[in-house]
Each structure stands twice: as structure tokens, then as C-alpha cells.
Amino acid sequence: MFDYLIVGAGFAGSVIAERLASQLDKKVLVLDKRPHIAGNAYDHYNEEGILVHKYGPHIFHTNSRDVFDYLSQFTEWRPYEHRVLASVDGQLVPMPINLDTINKLYGLNLTSFDVNDFFKSVAEEVDTIRTSEDVVVSKVGRELYEKFFRNYTRKQWGLDPSELDKSVTSRVPVRTNRDDRYFTDTYQAMPLHGYTAMFEKMLAHPNIKIMLNTDYHEILDVIPFREMIYTGPVDEYFDFKYGKLPYRSLQFKHETLEKPVHLPSAVVNYPNEHAYTRVTEFKYLTGQQHNKTSIVYEYPMAEGDPYYPVPKPENAEIYNKYKKLAEATPGVTFVGRLATYRYYNMDQVVAQALSQFKKIKAKGEPEQVDGAKVELGQKGVALGNRALEAGSNGKPSKNGKEKAM
Ligand code: FAD
Ligand code: UDP
């Protein structure tokens, strides 16, 4: 009998698995329907021996010391600051928009003060900033919005920025200085030997068993467990009871080229040309030396593996219904980008998983009931019994619903 079945071996599942095993001595089964661990952060050496990210570029950055310290137990780091160029009006210019972007684009020689005035002169007044269009036009006006944001966003999301929550384009700042880094977080680094190697260490605990190529439905009737941590899409867990939650997908086209360097920076964004949004050259990210180089193109898709929750009010409404259902499902904890329908970066998922672990741990700790101490583990047993009631063999029934016995 496993104490926990963990569905998904990405950041959410692996962090909780590691904590439960190492801190609470729980017996954990981590399973994933994919043939590998590390979820979307999975990296591997391709046929030419170049380290690539199968599911697109993953750059680690965080302001959280806790998250950085936590992951540092499982990896050394390679300092790395990410830089992106955007192809606009036939030129490659820094993205996020900064002083150099404006000077290069318009052939000017503005200072930081001048560019601040420039932005003010072109910015549109917006009463309440609600959408992803509002965010940008209120800072840099319509022309720059159209050159850098409108078409990229339409391509990436299949939606106009005016239909998307403000949080989406708010991810990309606008600067009046010459800082051309994509992120300004305190900690910016890549796992020295890659993400998969870091996950291998995280999951290398004797209490953790891993099963790959397995959808959790396949083992529900076979492997007994007390509780579940679910990190897949939340709507799928509940058989789309309230309808399908939109997740945006991507197709990745990987290529290896017979030359050591291809791009002038790690990533080039194409807001206005091509069906793909961006091209990434992995050697910038990994620092690997090799006489060939590998790149990936990202083509946004409506159908396919779910990669991005789509932040817009209608979807938030649907998600809230699933959230209520999730909260009312005993014995199952929903964690991660797909299960909580949040456009989270890796560090945010790690933080969410650590905080969920703390809640699980607190539930199992002794507490005062009518002045008497309840022994550690009793609550867990109670939950286990509840799970027992749902099915014949100690597993919550499929999708948390009553199972025919
Ligand atoms: P996932 O990694 O998606 O893991 C969930 C796992 O559950 C999957 O492996 C899936 O196979 C498994 N699963 C689902 N359903 C089932 C089932 N029924 N049975 C068994 N297994 C199941 N973040 C950053 O911080 N920096 C970046 O640069 C960055 N770049 C990104 C680029 C792209 C193209 C994408 C898509 C995301 C990027 N992210 C980035 C976000 C990052 O990928 C996520 O924050 C993180 O991987 C989410 O982890 P997770 O465990 O919640 O989900
Ligand atoms: N974006 C854009 N133009 C760009 C870069 C980003 O319009 O050159 C918008 C787009 O809507 C994108 C969002 O900003 O989805 C967030 O960008 P980010 O680079 O954070 O996206 P991610 O790396 O998560 O795909």
C-alpha cells in the first residue's frame, strides 16, 4: 500500500514526492503517462549529443530564496541571464522594449529621460487596466503595441490581446534604461547538468517508486494507495463535467545545424513574420561547447498537449467551478500549472508545491482535541478510511466518484 499516488512527474509532483518521502517517511508512487520524468522541463542529449529541452526553452529565474535553496539540494547551477531579440521592421532589437530598442528602431539617440518622455507622449490613457492590450498601450502607445505585442499574442494564444487578462502581457516589462535581460530576478541560473539530472536526484529516495508510460486510470484498480496528489489538467480529472478548460498547445520543431552558432542571441521572437513565435538556440542556455548547434521553433496550436492555461475571465469562471469540486474531493490534492489552471513559471510551481506540502504536514501533526493530544498519523488514517469507503480496495474511486463494486 502506497501512502501517496502522485500523478505527474513534473515540478509539482516531484517536489511533493521528495518532501513526503524525505520529511514524513511516506511511501510514494510517482507516475507519468510520458516516457520520462521532469514534465515540461524535461531535457535530454539529442542524437548529435547536444542538450535540448524537448518542450521548448526553460529558463530558471526566481526571487524566492526558499525556492532557490530548496532546488540547490539537487543541483549545482550555471549562472545564466537570458536575452531575447525581436525581429521588427527588418531589424533585430532588444525585447523587452528598452532605451536601445527605441533608438535602434527609430534611428534616434535618446537618453533614459528622453525615452521616458517619449513613452509618455505616445501612451494612451486607459481608465482601468483590464486586458493585455490595456497594459501595453497604456505604457508605450499603439504603434509599439502593434509592432511588438498584438500579432505575437494573436499567434501565441489565437486571441486578440484585448480578450486576454492583463496578467499575460504584464509578464514582459518596458524599460527606460539599457538593461536587455529578459528577467531581472535575484536568482537566474540553469541546473548545471540539466533539469532531468536535477529531477533524478530529487526522486532518488528509497521511499519513491517511479512508473512511466502509465496513465493513472490504468493502475487505479491495481495498486492500492491512501491519498492522491494530482498534477494533470483539472478538467480532465473530473471528466470535463463543467466543459473543457482551454489549454493552449504548441508544436516544437527541433533542428540541428552543421555550424557552431546560428542566432545572435538565445532567442529571437517573431511577432509579425512566420507561423512560429520564436526560435531558441539551446547552447546559449546550457553553455555547452559543440561544433554543431540545436534550435527549436515553437508553433502555437489550439489542439495537442496542454501547455498554457488561457487567462481570460470566462475561463476563470469555469475553473472556479472545478476548484470548488476539487476542494470537495477528499483524499486528492490538486497542485501545479495544469491542476490549478495558473500560468505559473517553474519557481511558482515549486513554491506552490512546497506550500501544499506544509499543509499536508500540518494536517498530520498532533493537535489538541478536547484537551487531549491526537497522535500523529491519526488524521491520515481517518482519510485513508474515507478513501476505503469509496472503493473496495483502499483507493479513491476513479475520478473521485463512487465506484461500482
Ligand atoms: P507539468 O510539467 O506539465 O507536469 C505534469 C505531468 O503530469 C506531465 O508530465 C504529464 O504527462 C503528467 N500527467 C498529466 N495527466 C496525467 C495522467 N492522466 N496520468 C499520468 N500522468 C499525467 N517556466 C519557467 O520558469 N521558465 C521558463 O523559461 C519556462 N518556459 C516554458 C516554455 C514552454 C514552451 C512551456 C510550455 C512552459 C514553460 N515554463 C517555463 C513553465 C513550466 O513548464 C511549468 O511551470 C512547469 O513545468 C509546470 O510543472 P507542473 O508539474 O505543474 O506541470
Ligand atoms: N509577448 C508578445 N511579444 C513578445 C513577447 C511576449 O506579445 O515578443 C506577449 C505574448 O502574449 C506572450 C506574453 O507576452 O504570451 C508573455 O511572454 P513570455 O515570454 O513570458 O511567454 P512564455 O515564455 O511563457 O511563452
Side-chain angles (χ1 to χ4, degrees):
M1 165 81 83
F2 286 97
D3 296 310
Y4 284 88
L5 169 69
I6 301 195
V7 179
F11 269 101
S14 300
V15 167
I16 297 219
E18 186 282 324
R19 289 287 89 184
L20 288 168
S22 71
Q23 304 301 300
L24 298 183
D25 197 27
K26 298 292 184 195
K27 304 276 180 285
V28 177
L29 174 63
V30 178
L31 66 80
D32 206 297
K33 61 183 179 188
R34 286 167 166 170
H36 57 73
I37 57 169
N40 286 339
Y42 173 70
D43 56 14
H44 68 107
Y45 286 89
N46 65 14
E47 62 291 346
E48 302 286 354
I50 300 174
L51 185 60
V52 299
H53 298 182
K54 185 174 167 78
Y55 306 99
H58 278 69
I59 295 108
F60 186 79
H61 55 101
T62 189
N63 284 317
S64 164
R65 169 118 200 220
D66 285 352
V67 167
F68 191 71
D69 283 350
Y70 172 73
L71 292 177
S72 301
Q73 298 175 79
F74 314 107
T75 188
E76 292 167 67
W77 299 95
R78 168 181 185 262
Y80 172 72
E81 292 186 319
H82 190 52
R83 287 180 170 79
V84 175
L85 294 170
S87 168
V88 172
D89 293 348
Q91 298 198 74
L92 293 180
V93 292
M95 183 68 182
I97 295 172
N98 70 7
L99 175 61
D100 288 330
T101 312
I102 300 301
N103 281 336
K104 198 164 178 197
L105 199 63
Y106 294 116
L108 298 170
N109 203 2
L110 303 180
T111 64
S112 280
F113 293 111
D114 300 334
V115 85
N116 200 21
D117 290 342
F118 170 79
F119 286 147
K120 275 191 198 151
S121 73
V122 292
E124 286 184 11
E125 216 171 290
V126 181
D127 284 344
T128 314
I129 294 175
R130 270 187 318 105
T131 72
S132 271
E133 176 181 304
D134 297 341
V135 172
V136 183
V137 297
S138 67
K139 280 198 242 170
V140 298
R142 199 148 292 270
E143 185 169 304
L144 290 167
Y145 162 73
E146 286 177 2
K147 286 185 193 297
F148 287 86
F149 286 90
R150 187 178 63 178
N151 297 330
Y152 186 106
T153 302
R154 284 182 172 181
K155 201 166 23 170
Q156 168 72 8
W157 299 95
L159 294 169
D160 191 80
S162 60
E163 299 170 271
L164 274 170
D165 194 87
K166 64 180 177 190
S167 58
V168 177
T169 52
S170 298
R171 290 167 60 90
V172 184
V174 172
R175 304 197 181 115
T176 54
N177 59 19
R178 303 187 63 195
D179 189 347
D180 63 347
R181 295 170 305 161
Y182 206 66
F183 308 110
T184 51
D185 300 45
T186 314
Y187 304 95
Q188 304 190 40
M190 298 290 287
L192 187 60
H193 303 293
Y195 289 97
T196 306
M198 178 176 80
F199 276 77
E200 277 166 2
K201 278 202 166 173
M202 211 185 277
L203 294 171
H205 191 283
N207 285 357
I208 300 176
K209 301 280 175 262
I210 301 169
M211 192 183 266
L212 300 174
N213 293 309
T214 311
D215 191 297
Y216 79 99
H217 296 104
E218 295 172 51
I219 58 98
L220 276 181
D221 292 331
V222 190
I223 301 178
F225 60 90
R226 285 185 214 283
E227 298 218 18
M228 184 193 285
I229 309 284
Y230 180 81
T231 74
V234 63
D235 56 343
E236 203 174 302
Y237 182 89
F238 292 110
D239 286 338
F240 310 103
K241 187 180 163 114
Y242 300 126
K244 225 170 166 314
L245 268 172
Y247 293 90
R248 191 71 174 159
S249 191
L250 292 172
Q251 238 176 41
F252 302 100
K253 191 171 145 245
H254 286 267
E255 269 179 19
T256 296
L257 308 170
E258 303 281 332
K259 52 182 173 178
V261 185
H262 179 59
L263 298 176
S265 61
V267 171
V268 176
N269 284 0
Y270 289 94
N272 307 312
E273 309 141 70
H274 307 300
Y276 49 86
T277 47
R278 60 186 177 191
V279 189
T280 302
E281 184 164 357
F282 290 109
K283 280 164 59 185
Y284 282 94
L285 276 48
T286 58
Q288 189 179 358
Q289 301 292 315
H290 200 291
N291 57 5
K292 296 182 186 177
T293 195
S294 292
I295 57 175
V296 68
Y297 298 87
E298 292 172 57
Y299 293 84
M301 299 279 156
E303 299 299 326
D305 277 0
Y307 290 125
Y308 291 84
V310 183
K312 55 186 281 206
E314 297 90 307
N315 300 346
E317 262 177 48
I318 307 175
Y319 170 64
N320 280 333
K321 290 194 199 168
Y322 281 117
K323 185 170 176 241
K324 286 209 179 89
L325 208 53
E327 282 162 1
T329 304
V332 187
T333 306
F334 294 78
V335 194
R337 174 151 147 148
L338 305 173
T340 62
Y341 205 65
R342 301 241 180 284
Y343 186 179
Y344 271 169
N345 294 327
M346 294 179 280
D347 64 320
Q348 294 170 298
V349 171
V350 173
Q352 190 193 37
L354 290 174
S355 124
Q356 274 300 341
F357 167 73
K358 279 192 189 138
K359 286 185 195 156
I360 292 169
K361 188 174 168 209
K363 269 203 298 182
E365 263 161 14
E367 53 183 87
Q368 301 287 333
V369 178
D370 294 330
K373 263 208 161 172
V374 176
E375 281 308 308
L376 206 144
Q378 279 204 355
K379 275 198 128 183
V381 171
L383 266 172
N385 287 342
R386 205 154 58 222
L388 269 171
E389 281 158 22
S392 57
N393 48 6
K395 305 181 293 278
S397 54
K398 185 180 166 190
N399 291 347
K401 287 175 297 218
E402 209 65 23
K403 186 172 66 179
M405 293 172 65

mmCIF file of all heavy atoms in Angstrom, residues 234-236 238-247 318-319 321-322:
data_model
loop_
_atom_site.group_PDB
_atom_site.id
_atom_site.type_symbol
_atom_site.label_atom_id
_atom_site.label_comp_id
_atom_site.label_asym_id
_atom_site.label_seq_id
_atom_site.Cartn_x
_atom_site.Cartn_y
_atom_site.Cartn_z
ATOM 1 N N VAL A 234 -7.043 19.812 -14.593
ATOM 2 C CA VAL A 234 -8.114 19.632 -13.601
ATOM 3 C C VAL A 234 -9.431 19.219 -14.255
ATOM 4 O O VAL A 234 -10.183 18.404 -13.716
ATOM 5 C CB VAL A 234 -8.271 20.893 -12.715
ATOM 6 C CG1 VAL A 234 -8.696 22.112 -13.522
ATOM 7 C CG2 VAL A 234 -9.227 20.649 -11.565
ATOM 8 N N ASP A 235 -9.723 19.753 -15.454
ATOM 9 C CA ASP A 235 -10.996 19.415 -16.107
ATOM 10 C C ASP A 235 -11.033 17.933 -16.493
ATOM 11 O O ASP A 235 -12.069 17.284 -16.403
ATOM 12 C CB ASP A 235 -11.261 20.316 -17.326
ATOM 13 C CG ASP A 235 -10.138 20.293 -18.351
ATOM 14 O OD1 ASP A 235 -9.015 19.854 -18.015
ATOM 15 O OD2 ASP A 235 -10.380 20.718 -19.497
ATOM 16 N N GLU A 236 -9.877 17.419 -16.885
ATOM 17 C CA GLU A 236 -9.790 16.007 -17.278
ATOM 18 C C GLU A 236 -10.069 15.098 -16.077
ATOM 19 O O GLU A 236 -10.732 14.072 -16.193
ATOM 20 C CB GLU A 236 -8.372 15.760 -17.807
ATOM 21 C CG GLU A 236 -8.237 14.585 -18.728
ATOM 22 C CD GLU A 236 -6.818 14.516 -19.309
ATOM 23 O OE1 GLU A 236 -6.381 15.496 -19.959
ATOM 24 O OE2 GLU A 236 -6.144 13.488 -19.082
ATOM 25 N N PHE A 238 -12.044 15.551 -13.707
ATOM 26 C CA PHE A 238 -13.479 15.481 -13.425
ATOM 27 C C PHE A 238 -14.299 15.163 -14.684
ATOM 28 O O PHE A 238 -15.479 15.547 -14.777
ATOM 29 C CB PHE A 238 -13.958 16.785 -12.790
ATOM 30 C CG PHE A 238 -13.400 16.984 -11.401
ATOM 31 C CD1 PHE A 238 -12.444 17.969 -11.158
ATOM 32 C CD2 PHE A 238 -13.801 16.184 -10.342
ATOM 33 C CE1 PHE A 238 -11.914 18.145 -9.877
ATOM 34 C CE2 PHE A 238 -13.283 16.353 -9.063
ATOM 35 C CZ PHE A 238 -12.328 17.336 -8.832
ATOM 36 N N ASP A 239 -13.649 14.477 -15.648
ATOM 37 C CA ASP A 239 -14.338 14.070 -16.886
ATOM 38 C C ASP A 239 -15.058 15.236 -17.565
ATOM 39 O O ASP A 239 -16.148 15.068 -18.110
ATOM 40 C CB ASP A 239 -15.363 12.953 -16.597
ATOM 41 C CG ASP A 239 -14.679 11.629 -16.334
ATOM 42 O OD1 ASP A 239 -13.522 11.468 -16.780
ATOM 43 O OD2 ASP A 239 -15.295 10.767 -15.666
ATOM 44 N N PHE A 240 -14.467 16.416 -17.523
ATOM 45 C CA PHE A 240 -14.980 17.609 -18.217
ATOM 46 C C PHE A 240 -16.426 17.938 -17.826
ATOM 47 O O PHE A 240 -17.207 18.429 -18.633
ATOM 48 C CB PHE A 240 -14.866 17.430 -19.741
ATOM 49 C CG PHE A 240 -13.494 16.995 -20.175
ATOM 50 C CD1 PHE A 240 -13.226 15.680 -20.523
ATOM 51 C CD2 PHE A 240 -12.443 17.903 -20.196
ATOM 52 C CE1 PHE A 240 -11.949 15.279 -20.900
ATOM 53 C CE2 PHE A 240 -11.159 17.519 -20.568
ATOM 54 C CZ PHE A 240 -10.914 16.197 -20.923
ATOM 55 N N LYS A 241 -16.731 17.662 -16.579
ATOM 56 C CA LYS A 241 -18.091 17.858 -16.053
ATOM 57 C C LYS A 241 -18.650 19.265 -16.337
ATOM 58 O O LYS A 241 -19.825 19.424 -16.658
ATOM 59 C CB LYS A 241 -18.021 17.619 -14.549
ATOM 60 C CG LYS A 241 -19.333 17.611 -13.827
ATOM 61 C CD LYS A 241 -19.074 17.370 -12.343
ATOM 62 C CE LYS A 241 -20.274 17.766 -11.528
ATOM 63 N NZ LYS A 241 -20.904 16.635 -10.868
ATOM 64 N N TYR A 242 -17.811 20.278 -16.194
ATOM 65 C CA TYR A 242 -18.256 21.664 -16.469
ATOM 66 C C TYR A 242 -17.742 22.158 -17.814
ATOM 67 O O TYR A 242 -17.594 23.352 -18.033
ATOM 68 C CB TYR A 242 -17.777 22.597 -15.357
ATOM 69 C CG TYR A 242 -18.306 22.229 -13.988
ATOM 70 C CD1 TYR A 242 -17.434 22.027 -12.929
ATOM 71 C CD2 TYR A 242 -19.676 22.108 -13.766
ATOM 72 C CE1 TYR A 242 -17.913 21.689 -11.666
ATOM 73 C CE2 TYR A 242 -20.163 21.764 -12.516
ATOM 74 C CZ TYR A 242 -19.285 21.554 -11.481
ATOM 75 O OH TYR A 242 -19.761 21.222 -10.249
ATOM 76 N N GLY A 243 -17.412 21.257 -18.696
ATOM 77 C CA GLY A 243 -16.899 21.640 -20.013
ATOM 78 C C GLY A 243 -15.380 21.652 -20.029
ATOM 79 O O GLY A 243 -14.729 21.543 -18.995
ATOM 80 N N LYS A 244 -14.837 21.780 -21.238
ATOM 81 C CA LYS A 244 -13.392 21.730 -21.420
ATOM 82 C C LYS A 244 -12.778 23.080 -21.051
ATOM 83 O O LYS A 244 -13.269 24.120 -21.481
ATOM 84 C CB LYS A 244 -13.108 21.448 -22.896
ATOM 85 C CG LYS A 244 -12.049 20.401 -23.125
ATOM 86 C CD LYS A 244 -12.020 20.026 -24.612
ATOM 87 C CE LYS A 244 -10.786 19.259 -24.981
ATOM 88 N NZ LYS A 244 -9.509 19.711 -24.528
ATOM 89 N N LEU A 245 -11.739 23.049 -20.256
ATOM 90 C CA LEU A 245 -10.987 24.272 -19.982
ATOM 91 C C LEU A 245 -9.981 24.440 -21.109
ATOM 92 O O LEU A 245 -9.214 23.508 -21.369
ATOM 93 C CB LEU A 245 -10.220 24.124 -18.664
ATOM 94 C CG LEU A 245 -10.889 24.589 -17.390
ATOM 95 C CD1 LEU A 245 -10.054 24.168 -16.183
ATOM 96 C CD2 LEU A 245 -11.086 26.095 -17.391
ATOM 97 N N PRO A 246 -9.949 25.594 -21.758
ATOM 98 C CA PRO A 246 -8.975 25.729 -22.849
ATOM 99 C C PRO A 246 -7.539 25.746 -22.326
ATOM 100 O O PRO A 246 -7.228 26.437 -21.353
ATOM 101 C CB PRO A 246 -9.319 27.083 -23.472
ATOM 102 C CG PRO A 246 -10.650 27.447 -22.926
ATOM 103 C CD PRO A 246 -10.791 26.771 -21.609
ATOM 104 N N TYR A 247 -6.702 24.929 -22.926
ATOM 105 C CA TYR A 247 -5.255 24.997 -22.696
ATOM 106 C C TYR A 247 -4.632 25.213 -24.069
ATOM 107 O O TYR A 247 -4.984 24.511 -25.020
ATOM 108 C CB TYR A 247 -4.708 23.689 -22.123
ATOM 109 C CG TYR A 247 -5.165 23.346 -20.725
ATOM 110 C CD1 TYR A 247 -6.316 22.599 -20.514
ATOM 111 C CD2 TYR A 247 -4.430 23.755 -19.614
ATOM 112 C CE1 TYR A 247 -6.733 22.269 -19.228
ATOM 113 C CE2 TYR A 247 -4.836 23.416 -18.328
ATOM 114 C CZ TYR A 247 -5.989 22.677 -18.146
ATOM 115 O OH TYR A 247 -6.394 22.339 -16.883
ATOM 116 N N ILE A 318 -15.067 29.097 -15.342
ATOM 117 C CA ILE A 318 -15.156 27.624 -15.435
ATOM 118 C C ILE A 318 -14.210 27.000 -14.417
ATOM 119 O O ILE A 318 -14.560 26.065 -13.697
ATOM 120 C CB ILE A 318 -14.789 27.104 -16.849
ATOM 121 C CG1 ILE A 318 -15.597 27.812 -17.926
ATOM 122 C CG2 ILE A 318 -14.991 25.583 -16.940
ATOM 123 C CD1 ILE A 318 -15.192 27.440 -19.350
ATOM 124 N N TYR A 319 -12.987 27.545 -14.360
ATOM 125 C CA TYR A 319 -12.010 26.959 -13.430
ATOM 126 C C TYR A 319 -12.518 27.014 -11.986
ATOM 127 O O TYR A 319 -12.348 26.054 -11.226
ATOM 128 C CB TYR A 319 -10.637 27.635 -13.540
ATOM 129 C CG TYR A 319 -9.740 27.180 -12.400
ATOM 130 C CD1 TYR A 319 -9.357 25.848 -12.304
ATOM 131 C CD2 TYR A 319 -9.369 28.053 -11.374
ATOM 132 C CE1 TYR A 319 -8.605 25.388 -11.231
ATOM 133 C CE2 TYR A 319 -8.616 27.609 -10.301
ATOM 134 C CZ TYR A 319 -8.241 26.273 -10.231
ATOM 135 O OH TYR A 319 -7.515 25.817 -9.164
ATOM 136 N N LYS A 321 -15.401 26.694 -10.852
ATOM 137 C CA LYS A 321 -16.314 25.577 -10.576
ATOM 138 C C LYS A 321 -15.520 24.302 -10.306
ATOM 139 O O LYS A 321 -15.813 23.546 -9.383
ATOM 140 C CB LYS A 321 -17.230 25.343 -11.784
ATOM 141 C CG LYS A 321 -18.255 26.431 -12.002
ATOM 142 C CD LYS A 321 -19.276 25.896 -12.980
ATOM 143 C CE LYS A 321 -20.068 27.011 -13.623
ATOM 144 N NZ LYS A 321 -20.844 26.528 -14.765
ATOM 145 N N TYR A 322 -14.501 24.068 -11.144
ATOM 146 C CA TYR A 322 -13.662 22.881 -10.924
ATOM 147 C C TYR A 322 -12.927 22.979 -9.585
ATOM 148 O O TYR A 322 -12.731 21.984 -8.891
ATOM 149 C CB TYR A 322 -12.656 22.712 -12.069
ATOM 150 C CG TYR A 322 -13.273 22.107 -13.316
ATOM 151 C CD1 TYR A 322 -13.328 22.824 -14.504
ATOM 152 C CD2 TYR A 322 -13.788 20.819 -13.303
ATOM 153 C CE1 TYR A 322 -13.892 22.273 -15.646
ATOM 154 C CE2 TYR A 322 -14.360 20.257 -14.435
ATOM 155 C CZ TYR A 322 -14.404 20.990 -15.601
ATOM 156 O OH TYR A 322 -14.966 20.430 -16.722
#
